[in-house]
C-alpha cells in the first residue's frame, strides 16, 4: 500500500499529470453517475470532494473499478439501470468506513429505495492478506501453539480469518479453531477516510457516528468479551448458541469453529426443498422472538442479526439450531430508556397513534434525553428540551416527497435524524434499536416470516402503562390503538 501510495503521489506531482487525473475522475468516475436523474449535482460535488480527500491508494482502487466497469459496458448497455450497480461496486472498494457509511445511508428514507437496497445489502471487497503476512500478524505466544495453518475462511473490512489447528504437542488442546487478526493498515485507512468525510458538508455530521461504529471493531479483545457476555444472555439458550472464545487480545481472536451450514445457503430455494426452507424459517422466527424477548426483558439490543453471522447445525440430540459466531456490537440499556424507545416506536407506527400516544412517548423521552453541550446553558432547560423533541417528532411524521406518510421504520429513522439536528442527545440505544427493527422486519418481509415485532411491543406496553397514561389516552382509545 505504501509503495503504491508513493508512486501515485509522485506521478501526480506535475501539473499536467494532475490535469489528466482530474479529467479521468470526471470522465470515468463521475460521468456515469450523472446518467441517473436521481443523483443530483450537489451529490456529485460531494462525491468529488470526498474522493479527492481520500488516501491515494483508495482513490486508485475506486477509480480503477470505475474504469473496468465502463470498459465492460458498451455505450448501448450503459444506462440509468446500471447506475445503482456502479455505485455499489465503487463503495465496495472504499474500505471499512465506506462499508459503514453505506449502512448509515441505507437507513435514510430520503434516498431512493433502489439505492437503499444496494447500499444496505452490499459487502465491502477487500484483497486478502497473503498467508505469510497473516501468520506474522499472530502474536508469537499464540502462534507458537499452532501446528497447522488451514484455509482462509474470509476477509472482512476489519479482520481476516483462517482455520488453524492447535496441537496437544505444543501444549494446547483446542484442536481446529477460527483465528482472526486485524487487516494490515486498517486503522490508518479508517482515520484517513473519516478525515476525508470531514470535507463534505453533508457527511461531516455523520463522521462522528461512523467513527464509533468503526473504532468499536478494532479491538478484538472487546469483540471476544462481547461474545463471552452474549453467551450468558437469554438469547444464547436452547437452540441458539454462541461459539466459545478460547483467546482474545487486542490483535487476535481465537474461537471454536462453528460447524454447520450458512443461513443464506439454508434459505436458498435453488438448492433447498420447500420443507427444508420452511423448517429453517420457523427456526429463524423463533430466533427473532428470542432477540426481542432479550430486549424487552433485560434491555439487551442485538442489532446485527445478519444471516451471515450464524450457521445452522444440530445438537447431540439431533435438534436443529443456530450457532452464532459474530454478533457485531450490542448494547444493554436501562428500563427507563427501554420504555421511552418502545413508546416512541408504538406512537409513531400509524396516523392515529401519532396523535393519541405522542404525549406519552415524548414524556418518557424527556426523562432520559438531554440537550447536547453545544446548546447554550441559558437555553438548556426541560421546557426547551420538550420544544425540540416536539419539533423533531413533527418533522419525522410529515408526508414524504411523493405525498405518502412515512412508515414506522421510516418515521423512526427520521425522528432520530431530526433529534440530532435539534441537538438532542437521545438514549444510547436509540440508533441500535433502529438497526434491530430494520434487521428483523426486513427478514420477515423478504422471507415471509411470522410478524412478531409490533405484537410483542404492544403486549409489553399494555403491561407497563401507568394509570395516569391509561387515563390520558382513554379506555376506548387504548383498547383499539394499542
Amino acid at each position: 500500500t505504501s509503495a503504491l501510495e508513493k508512486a501515485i503521489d509522485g506521478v501526480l506531482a506535475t501539473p499536467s499529470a494532475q490535469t489528466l487525473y482530474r479529467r479521468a475522475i470526471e470522465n470515468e468516475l463521475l460521468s456515469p453517475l450523472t446518467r441517473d436523474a436521481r443523483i443530483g449535482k450537489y451529490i456529485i460535488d460531494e462525491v468529488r470532494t470526498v474522493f479527492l480527500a481520500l488516501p491515494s491508494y483508495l482513490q486508485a482502487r475506486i477509480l480503477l473499478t470505475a474504469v473496468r466497469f465502463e470498459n465492460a459496458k458498451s455505450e448501448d448497455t450503459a444506462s440509468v439501470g446500471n447506475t445503482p450497480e456502479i455505485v455499489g461496486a465503487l463503495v465496495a472498494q472504499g474500505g471499512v468506513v465506506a462499508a459503514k457509511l453505506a449502512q448509515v445511508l441505507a437507513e435514510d428514507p430520503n434516498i431512493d429505495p433502489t439505492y437503499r437496497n444496494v447500499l444496505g445489502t452490499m459487502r465491502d471487497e477487500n484483497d486478502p492478506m497473503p498467508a505469510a503476512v497473516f501468520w506474522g500478524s499472530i502474536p508469537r505466544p499464540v502462534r507458537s501453539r499452532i501446528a497447522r495453518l488451514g484455509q482462509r475462511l474470509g476477509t472482512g473490512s476489519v479482520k481476516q480469518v483462517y482455520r488453524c489447528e492447535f496441537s496437544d504437542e505444543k501444549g494446547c488442546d483446542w484442536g481446529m479453531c477460527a483465528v482472526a487478526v486485524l487487516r494490515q493498515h486498517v486503522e490508518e485507512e479508517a482515520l484517513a477516510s473519516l478525515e476525508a468525510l470531514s470535507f463534505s458538508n453533508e457527511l461531516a455530521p455523520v463522521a462522528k457516528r461512523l467513527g464509533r461504529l468503526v473504532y468499536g471493531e478494532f479491538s478484538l479483545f472487546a469483540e471476544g468479551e462481547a461474545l463471552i457476555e452474549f453467551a450468558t444472555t437469554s438469547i444464547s439458550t436452547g437452540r441458539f448458541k454462541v461459539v466459545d472464545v478460547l483467546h482474545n487480545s487486542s490483535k487476535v481472536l481465537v474461537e471454536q469453529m462453528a460447524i454447520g451450514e450458512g443461513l443464506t445457503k439454508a434459505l436458498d430455494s435453488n438448492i433447498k426443498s420447500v420443507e427444508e426452507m420452511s423448517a429453517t424459517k420457523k427456526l429463524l422466527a423463533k430466533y427473532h422472538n428470542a432477540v426481542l424477548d432479550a430486549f424487552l426483558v433485560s434491555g439487551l439490543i442485538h442489532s446485527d442479526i445478519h444471516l451471515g453471522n450464524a450457521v445452522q447445525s444440530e445438537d447431540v440430540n439431533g435438534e436443529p439450531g443456530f450457532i452464532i459466531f459474530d454478533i457485531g456490537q450490542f448494547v444493554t440499556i436501562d428500563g427507563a430508556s427501554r420504555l421511552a424507545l418502545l413508546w416512541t416506536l408504538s406512537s409513531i407506527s400509524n396516523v392515529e397513534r401519532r396523535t393519541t400516544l405522542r404525549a406519552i412517548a415524548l414524556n418518557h423521552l424527556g426523562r432520559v434525553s438531554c440537550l447536547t453541550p453545544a446548546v447554550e446553558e441559558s437555553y438548556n432547560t426541560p421546557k426547551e428540551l420538550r420544544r425540540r423533541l416536539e419539533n423533531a417528532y413533527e418533522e419525522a411524521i410529515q408526508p414524504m416527497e411523493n405525498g405518502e406518510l412515512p412508515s414506522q421504520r421510516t418515521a423512526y429513522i427520521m425522528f432520530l435524524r431530526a433529534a440530532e439536528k435539534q441537538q438532542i442527545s437521545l438514549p444510547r440505544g436509540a440508533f441500535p434499536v433502529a438497526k434491530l427493527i430494520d434487521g428483523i422486519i426486513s427478514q420477515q418481509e423478504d422471507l415471509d416470516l411470522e410478524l412478531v415485532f409490533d405484537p410483542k411491543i404492544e403486549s409489553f406496553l399494555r403491561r407497563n402503562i401507568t394509570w395516569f397514561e391509561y387515563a390520558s389516552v382513554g379506555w376506548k382509545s387504548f383498547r383499539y390503538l394499542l
Side-chain angles (χ1 to χ4, degrees), residues 203-419:
L203 298 176
V206 182
K208 186 175 181 181
R209 183 149 65 96
L210 282 177
R212 287 196 293 268
L213 288 172
V214 172
Y215 297 143
E217 297 187 16
F218 285 165
S219 172
L220 296 182
F221 172 77
E223 182 173 337
E225 291 297 291
L227 281 164
I228 293 168
E229 183 181 347
F230 197 72
T232 67
T233 67
S234 59
I235 298 177
S236 182
T237 56
R239 294 190 174 191
F240 312 114
K241 300 292 185 183
V242 176
V243 293
D244 290 335
V245 175
L246 304 172
H247 171 90
N248 58 312
S249 52
S250 59
K251 300 296 184 183
V252 64
L253 175 63
V254 182
E255 296 177 0
Q256 174 192 43
M257 284 291 299
I259 307 298
E261 185 174 49
L263 296 188
T264 303
K265 186 176 179 181
L267 291 165
D268 188 344
S269 59
N270 294 318
I271 58 176
K272 295 294 179 180
S273 68
V274 174
E275 292 76 14
E276 289 174 319
M277 287 183 60
S278 177
T280 303
K281 287 181 180 181
K282 287 179 181 178
L283 198 56
L284 184 58
K286 289 180 179 179
Y287 181 52
H288 290 167
N289 272 295
V291 169
L292 287 173
D293 285 341
F295 174 43
L296 296 175
V297 173
S298 59
L300 173 69
I301 305 173
H302 174 26
S303 58
D304 192 4
I305 60 168
H306 187 261
L307 297 179
N309 292 342
V311 296
Q312 183 170 267
S313 185
E314 292 184 350
D315 62 17
V316 291
N317 299 317
E319 290 291 327
F322 295 163
I323 301 176
I324 305 159
F325 56 85
D326 189 349
I327 60 169
Q329 295 178 336
F330 74 94
V331 297
T332 302
I333 60 176
D334 59 53
S337 297
R338 179 173 73 244
L339 206 53
L341 295 177
L342 289 172
W343 273 114
T344 303
L345 285 165
S346 183
S347 75
I348 217 163
S349 61
N350 65 43
V351 177
E352 288 182 284
R353 293 180 183 180
R354 289 169 189 178
T355 301
T356 310
L357 303 181
R358 174 174 177 162
I360 297 178
L362 295 183
N363 286 341
H364 280 277
L365 282 172
R367 298 185 192 114
V368 295
S369 304
C370 62
L371 296 176
T372 66
V375 179
E376 291 184 24
E377 188 174 350
S378 59
Y379 287 98
N380 202 334
T381 64
K383 185 177 180 179
E384 178 64 15
L385 172 61
R386 178 56 179 249
R387 186 186 71 81
R388 295 190 183 208
L389 282 169
E390 291 277 5
N391 289 343
Y393 196 100
E394 188 63 30
E395 181 179 335
I397 62 176
Q398 292 302 305
M400 297 185 294
E401 290 182 1
N402 60 7
E404 295 180 0
L405 291 173
S407 66
Q408 180 189 38
R409 269 190 295 176
T410 299
Y412 182 71
I413 288 294
M414 293 181 75
F415 172 70
L416 299 185
R417 294 184 180 279

Side-chain angles (χ1 to χ4, degrees), residues 7-258:
I8 295 171
D9 290 340
V11 169
L12 296 180
T14 62
S16 58
Q18 291 176 6
T19 301
L20 288 172
Y21 186 62
R22 286 182 176 273
R23 188 179 300 163
I25 292 170
E26 297 297 327
N27 294 340
E28 306 294 343
L29 176 65
L30 301 178
S31 179
L33 303 182
T34 61
R35 299 182 188 128
D36 193 336
R38 294 170 291 186
I39 301 180
K41 182 180 182 299
Y42 80 96
I43 295 179
I44 300 295
D45 293 339
E46 293 287 294
V47 170
R48 182 188 296 107
T49 300
V50 172
F51 178 82
L52 290 172
L54 287 171
S56 51
Y57 70 90
L58 281 181
Q59 291 187 29
R61 277 172 49 175
I62 295 169
L63 189 56
L64 286 171
T65 300
V67 170
R68 285 196 295 267
F69 223 101
E70 282 299 283
N71 289 343
K73 308 281 184 182
S74 68
E75 286 299 321
D76 294 332
T77 60
S79 65
V80 172
N82 296 325
T83 311
E85 185 183 354
I86 295 173
V87 170
L90 297 179
V91 174
Q93 296 296 328
V96 57
V97 172
K100 298 301 180 187
L101 177 61
Q103 293 176 14
V104 171
L105 293 177
E107 299 171 355
D108 191 338
N110 294 316
I111 291 179
D112 183 89
T114 305
Y115 285 94
R116 287 180 63 193
N117 183 60
V118 168
L119 295 171
T121 57
M122 62 153 282
R123 288 290 176 265
D124 54 323
E125 298 174 9
N126 298 284
D127 294 329
M129 295 186 292
V133 175
F134 176 89
W135 180 255
S137 300
I138 303 173
R140 187 181 300 275
V142 177
R143 189 171 65 231
S144 64
R145 304 177 192 175
I146 299 175
R148 184 171 64 86
L149 181 67
Q151 71 182 92
R152 179 171 57 86
L153 299 176
T155 302
S157 56
V158 172
K159 58 184 181 286
Q160 185 162 311
V161 186
Y162 266 82
R163 185 194 303 263
C164 295
E165 184 177 356
F166 289 78
S167 171
D168 285 338
E169 296 177 2
K170 299 200 173 189
C172 187
D173 61 354
W174 292 344
M176 193 64 74
C177 300
V179 177
V181 301
L182 293 179
R183 279 202 310 115
Q184 206 173 22
H185 307 304
V186 66
E187 292 164 296
E188 294 92 331
E189 174 189 296
L191 283 168
S193 299
L194 287 169
E195 183 180 353
L197 291 181
S198 67
F199 289 90
S200 164
N201 294 328
E202 290 289 328
L203 298 176
V206 182
K208 186 175 181 181
R209 183 149 65 96
L210 282 177
R212 287 196 293 268
L213 288 172
V214 172
Y215 297 143
E217 297 187 16
F218 285 165
S219 172
L220 296 182
F221 172 77
E223 182 173 337
E225 291 297 291
L227 281 164
I228 293 168
E229 183 181 347
F230 197 72
T232 67
T233 67
S234 59
I235 298 177
S236 182
T237 56
R239 294 190 174 191
F240 312 114
K241 300 292 185 183
V242 176
V243 293
D244 290 335
V245 175
L246 304 172
H247 171 90
N248 58 312
S249 52
S250 59
K251 300 296 184 183
V252 64
L253 175 63
V254 182
E255 296 177 0
Q256 174 192 43
M257 284 291 299

